[in-house]
Amino acid sequence: MDTFTLNPSASTAPEISVDSEVASISDSDSSDEISLANKSSCENLRFRPSHHHLSLPELKRSASVSSLSSYASTSPGTPTRNNKTSLLTEENLLALGESGALAHNWYSCGGGSIHADGRWFKDEQGRTCMLRGVNLCGNSKLPTKPDGSSHLIEGFFDHRNVSFVGRPFPLEDVHEHFSRLRTWGLTFVRLLVPWEALEHAGPGIYDEEFIDYLINVINEMPRYGIKCFIDPHQDCWSRFSGGSGAPGWTFEVAGLNLEEFKATGAAYVHNTHHSPGEPPLPMVWPTNYTKLASSTMFTLFWGGDVFAPETKYEGINVKDFLQEKYINCYKYLAKRIQHLDAVMGFELMNEPHPGYIGLSNLLQYDAGATLVFGDSPNALQSFALGAGIPQEIEVWVRSWPFPTRKQTTRIVNTECKSAWINNQCIWQQHGVWGIDTNTLKPKVLIKDYFMKHPKTGDKLNFYKDFYLPFVNKYSEAIQSVRSDYYVFVEPLPNEPPPKWTPEDHHKNLIYAPHWYDLKSLFTKTFDGMITHDVQRLTRGAQHIVSATYFGISGAKKNYFGQVRNIIKDGLKNVGNKPCVIGECGIPMDINDKKAFETGDYTHHSNFLDAVLGAMEKNLVNFTLWNYNPLNDNIHGDHWYGEDFSIYSPPPFKTCMPTTPPASVTSINVTNEATVSILNNGSPSKLKSRVKGTLKIQTFQNSSSKDQTDQIFQDASEEENPLSSEIYVECENTMDQMSPTSPTSPFDLNPWQLEQDQEESHHAGGRVLDAVLRPYAAKIAGIPHTMIFNLKTKEFTFKFTNYPASQRIENADALIVAPETEIYIPSYHYKKLNLDIRVSDGDWRYVKSRQTLYWRVKDWMTEGVEHTIRIRGTENTATVLSETSGSIECTDINKKDIMKIDERPVNTKWILGAILILIVAILPFNMYWWLLPGMWRTDNIELNNVTFIVD
C-alpha cells in the first residue's frame, strides 16, 4: 500500500495511507461521478491530479473515498501536526459529499449561520460563501386588495384600506416557487416589504394580518435552503407619486393632496395618465424624482428640520415624524420576525434619493445628469403648478443621436388646482420662491436654498449631513432587536458611496448597491453591437467615444469594469465589508418584444450572460431583479410596463381531472396533488380547454400537508411518487397572455413535462441558459477566479488558501480540508458527459443534488492556488491515461483555461463604430441615457477605454 505525506512542508505530518483498490458503484449510486485517488507519490512531493471524467458504465471510485476520503488516517486517533488531536477522526469523519449538503443550501453549512469576515461572507466551517439569488419580487410593490397593478385605478385613492396579504405569492404556492428557486441555485432572496404594506392604515397602525402572512412565507425558507434580507422597497417615494413604497398618509403629513397630482403635474402616475389598455410610456416613471410630490417628500424626510422648520405634524417637525414612523415600523417588523433563522437582516432603503437637497439650479435640470423626458417642469414651475398657477412646460421625446430632445410645450393646470391640502405651498411659505409684483409670475427668491443651511449659511452635503446620520439611527434600532442582524446600505444610484468615518455605524454593515446597463434600460434595446459605459460618462468622460465598446466581448469588458469600480468604491469608502449587488438584470421586452413573437432569445442570452459574467468575474454576491409569479407578456411585471422577471407563468396554469375515457383507467387524484405538479394552481377564467393524456405525480394521502412537506423536505432524499395516467382538461390563462406570444422559449405544455420534477420547474423560466450557471457556493479558501463560458459550457474556478491570520479556529487540528461545494445546474449538463479536472485533491459529483464536492490536498500552506475546470461533452468516449495502475489526467493548461474565443470582424459592427466616431465630436452631456435626478458628477480620473471588436 503506497503512502504520501499530507503536507511536505510539515516535518511532523503523519503518513496517510491510500487504499489502492477501487470498487464499482452500485446502481443506486449511478447519479454520482467520483474522482479516483492517486495511489502513488508524485515527483517533487506535488500532488498531481488523478481525476478524470468516467462515463457511467465505467464509473468507479476508490474504496478510500467511499469511506474516509484519501486524506483520512487509517490509524484511528493518529495525532496530526503540532501533536494536536484531530477534530476529525476515523470515527466521525464523513466521506466526501456524504453530508448530503446541497452547495446552494445555506442551512447545510454548520447550522445555517452565515457571518461577515472582511469582504467575504463565511459559514460556520470558515468557508467563503458566494450568495446569489433573486428579488422577490416586483409584484410585492402592489397590494392584492384592491388589485394594485399600476394600470388599474379602482380603489386606488382609498389608500388606508388596502392589503398586501398574498405577496409575493399565495401560501399554497410556496412549495412551487421555493423549490424552483432551489433547483435554479438561487437561494439568496431580497424580500420586498414596502412601508405601505406594513403601515397603510395610519401612523403606528400595523397590518398584523400581513405580518403573520409574511412570517408563514419566511418560515418555509429553511426547508429549501433559502436565506433572505428585508428590502423596504420604494420608487419615487410612493405608489401615489408614481412609484412604490410609502403609505398614502405620508402625503397628508406633509400637507399634500394626492388626488390632485395629475392636474398639477406633481407626479406621473400610470393609472391616472393612461386609458385602460394603453401601455405606459417606457421609463417615464423615474422622471417623478424631479416632480413636486416625490422631491418634496424626500426633502422633508431627510432634511425637513433644516429646509422646512415650520412644517410640523402633531407638534413635531415633519422630518422627525416621518423618520420616527419609518424606523419604528421596521423595528416592529424585526421584533415580529426575530425568531426566523432565514432572515439575515434589513436593508436601509431601496435607491434613496435626496429630493431637492443639493439642487443648484431651480430653473433648469441638467439634461446631462438628469433624465429629461415627457412633461418636464423645472423646480420653480413645479412649485407654481402645485400652488395652482398654470405653467407652460417643456415636453421632451426620444431622439437620436441625443437620448431626448425638446419637442414642444404645453400648458398644465389650466383648472388652477392646488396640490396642497390648505392651498399653501410650504416652499413659498419658507421663502424659496414668490410672485414677482411686476410680472405677476413666479420667481426664485433664494437660488441656492437647498445647497446651504438657511439659517447658518453653511454649505450642506447630503451624505454627511442627512444620509449617514439616518443610517446610524436605523441600524441601531434594527440591531437593538437582534445584534447579529445585518444592515444593507446603498448610495444614490450610480454614485460612489460616501466615506464612512469612525463615528459612523460599522457594525454588521453590508454594502448593497445596484447596477444596470442604463443605456439599454432606457432604450430597451440590445443587439450586442455597441454598448456604452454610462458610469464613466457620469464621472467626467468628455466624449461618448471614450466610453464605447463594440461586440459581445466589448460588452463583457464594459460591464466587468463598471461592476469592478462599484466594488472598489465600496471597499475604499464603506470599508472592508461584503458587497451584495442588490439589483441587476435585463428587461425581457427589449427590441420591441420581438422575441415574444419569434421565440428567438439570442440577444437576451448574450445580454444577461454579459451581466452575470461581470458579477462572477468580480466575485460579488448578487440578487437578480426579479422573480415575479404575476408576470405576463402584456403587462410585464404589472408595474409601469417593466418586464424583468426571469419567470413568467406558462399559459397552462391549472389542470383539473375529468372523467377519463373508457380506454384510460380511472384513479383518484386530489386537486392539491394535481396543482402541485402543474405550477401554482391559481384559478383563472376559462378561455379554452385542451385535452390530452397527462402523467401526473400523485402522492398517497396527499391531502395530508404534513406528509407532503416531509416528501419534499430534502432534495437529496425525495421519495419517488406514484405515477399514473389520467385524462385532464386544462384551464388556459391566455386571457392574461398575448394570444400569439410565447411566455418564453422554455415554456412547456403540461403533457410535455417529464416526470422529473426538475424539468417541471423550468417551465416558464426565461433566458434560463444564461440564468442557470455553475458557481462555487462554499469555498475552503479565498476565491480568485470564476468564469463560465455559456457557449462551450466550460466552468473554471480558482481559489487560494487562507493566510495564517485568517485560518479558521483549530485549523491546525484538522486532517482534511473542508469541502468546497460547487453548484452544477443539470439544466446545462444533464445530457452531457462531464470532463472534470482539478489541480489537486478529490472530487465527487452528485447529479441529483446538482453539487460537486471538492477537497484539496494542501489547504494549509499560505497562498497555494487550486483550480478546477469542468467541461461538458456529448462525446461518450473518455480518453484515460493509465500510469502505474492509476488513472490520471493531464495538467490543467492555464492558457487553455483563460482562452477567449475570437470571431471574425463583422462588417456591420465596423460601420457602427464609424458612426460613433462621427458623432463623437459632440459633447458628452448630450448623449444621455440616465435615470432621473439620480446622478452627480465626480471628478474621478479613469483609464482610457479599450475598444473590443468582436
Side-chain angles (χ1 to χ4, degrees), residues 320-354:
D320 297 322
F321 185 87
L322 290 172
Q323 286 196 3
E324 176 186 334
K325 295 306 176 185
Y326 183 91
I327 291 173
N328 287 345
C329 179
Y330 286 99
K331 181 179 179 180
Y332 181 79
L333 178 62
K335 290 180 178 179
R336 288 292 317 274
I337 67 176
Q338 62 182 306
H339 63 288
L340 299 174
D341 292 336
V343 181
M344 292 179 60
F346 285 69
E347 190 170 339
L348 180 82
M349 177 186 291
N350 176 73
E351 297 183 357
H353 192 273

Side-chain angles (χ1 to χ4, degrees), residues 268-286:
Y268 170 92
V269 182
H270 184 189
N271 56 20
T272 62
H273 282 73
H274 281 78
S275 303
E278 184 181 358
L281 294 175
M283 293 307 294
V284 171
W285 70 263

Side-chain angles (χ1 to χ4, degrees), residues 454-465:
K455 292 184 177 180
T456 67
D458 294 337
K459 188 175 182 179
L460 295 171
N461 177 278
F462 170 73
Y463 285 124
K464 177 179 178 293
D465 297 309

Side-chain angles (χ1 to χ4, degrees), residues 697 748 750 752-757 759-760 830-831:
Q697 297 175 336
L748 300 173
Q752 294 175 317
L753 301 182
E754 300 180 13
Q755 282 188 305
D756 188 340
Q757 188 180 10
E759 295 294 330
S760 69
K830 184 173 184 178
K831 297 181 180 179

Side-chain angles (χ1 to χ4, degrees), residues 846-906:
V846 184
K847 187 178 295 185
S848 62
R849 302 176 195 163
Q850 301 188 99
T851 298
L852 185 143
Y853 308 90
W854 178 26
R855 278 193 189 132
V856 299
K857 181 184 187 313
D858 180 4
W859 69 291
M860 300 295 289
T861 304
E862 184 172 331
V864 172
E865 184 179 87
H866 312 278
T867 303
I868 186 168
R869 186 196 65 201
I870 300 171
R871 287 174 171 172
T873 175
E874 296 180 358
N875 186 0
T876 58
T878 303
V879 180
L880 302 179
S881 173
E882 298 195 17
T883 304
S884 301
S886 65
I887 301 177
E888 299 183 353
C889 71
T890 59
D891 289 330
I892 296 179
N893 187 314
K894 181 178 181 180
K895 292 182 179 179
D896 186 46
I897 290 175
M898 303 304 293
K899 182 179 180 181
I900 300 176
D901 291 338
E902 296 184 0
R903 296 182 295 279
V905 176
N906 191 306

Side-chain angles (χ1 to χ4, degrees), residues 603-884:
H603 291 313
H604 296 70
S605 295
N606 289 335
F607 190 1
L608 190 55
D609 178 49
V611 170
L612 299 188
M615 303 295 157
E616 291 164 346
K617 290 183 68 176
N618 279 289
L619 299 169
V620 68
N621 312 281
F622 64 86
T623 50
L624 277 164
W625 184 269
N626 73 106
Y627 177 97
N628 190 347
L630 190 66
N631 179 278
D632 61 55
N633 279 358
I634 296 177
H635 300 295
D637 291 327
H638 283 243
W639 186 84
Y640 284 82
E642 283 200 351
D643 190 354
F644 283 78
S645 181
I646 62 171
Y647 170 77
S648 188
F652 302 93
K653 287 290 294 181
T654 307
C655 291
M656 307 300 290
T658 62
T659 304
S663 59
V664 180
T665 303
S666 175
I667 62 170
N668 294 321
V669 182
T670 66
N671 292 347
E672 290 79 8
T674 306
V675 168
S676 71
I677 299 304
L678 298 173
N679 298 308
N680 66 22
S682 301
S684 61
K685 295 180 180 179
L686 180 62
K687 287 294 182 182
S688 62
R689 291 184 179 272
V690 182
K691 298 183 180 181
T693 301
L694 170 65
K695 291 185 178 181
I696 293 186
Q697 297 175 336
T698 63
F699 302 92
Q700 291 178 331
N701 300 323
S702 59
S703 60
S704 171
K705 183 180 184 298
D706 292 339
Q707 288 189 355
T708 304
D709 289 349
Q710 183 63 35
I711 289 172
F712 291 102
Q713 188 167 3
D714 190 333
S716 63
E717 297 182 359
E718 290 182 0
E719 298 179 12
N720 292 326
L722 300 176
S723 296
S724 302
E725 293 187 358
I726 64 172
Y727 190 72
V728 299
E729 291 186 352
C730 301
E731 291 184 350
N732 191 330
T733 58
M734 294 302 290
D735 59 317
Q736 300 177 5
M737 313 297 297
S738 171
T740 60
S741 303
T743 304
S744 81
F746 306 104
D747 283 349
L748 300 173
N749 291 336
W751 54 84
Q752 294 175 317
L753 301 182
E754 300 180 13
Q755 282 188 305
D756 188 340
Q757 188 180 10
E758 175 191 314
E759 295 294 330
S760 69
H761 287 154
H762 297 333
R766 306 170 99 185
V767 202
L768 291 188
D769 54 341
V771 171
L772 304 189
R773 313 164 72 83
Y775 68 95
K778 302 163 193 167
I779 306 146
I782 301 175
H784 180 269
T785 301
M786 185 151 55
I787 300 173
F788 175 59
N789 188 316
L790 179 58
K791 293 186 177 180
T792 64
K793 305 299 185 289
E794 177 173 309
F795 174 73
T796 302
F797 176 67
K798 296 182 181 181
F799 74 93
T800 56
N801 291 345
Y802 290 121
S805 61
Q806 297 181 19
R807 198 170 296 157
I808 63 175
E809 186 179 358
N810 297 321
D812 288 343
L814 299 177
I815 62 173
V816 296
E819 295 174 357
T820 291
E821 298 175 10
I822 301 175
Y823 169 74
I824 308 292
S826 296
Y827 180 87
H828 287 300
Y829 297 103
K830 184 173 184 178
K831 297 181 180 179
L832 298 176
N833 290 322
L834 295 189
D835 179 355
I836 302 173
R837 305 195 183 196
V838 297
S839 58
D840 64 304
D842 279 337
W843 57 265
R844 180 185 179 192
Y845 170 47
V846 184
K847 187 178 295 185
S848 62
R849 302 176 195 163
Q850 301 188 99
T851 298
L852 185 143
Y853 308 90
W854 178 26
R855 278 193 189 132
V856 299
K857 181 184 187 313
D858 180 4
W859 69 291
M860 300 295 289
T861 304
E862 184 172 331
V864 172
E865 184 179 87
H866 312 278
T867 303
I868 186 168
R869 186 196 65 201
I870 300 171
R871 287 174 171 172
T873 175
E874 296 180 358
N875 186 0
T876 58
T878 303
V879 180
L880 302 179
S881 173
E882 298 195 17
T883 304
S884 301

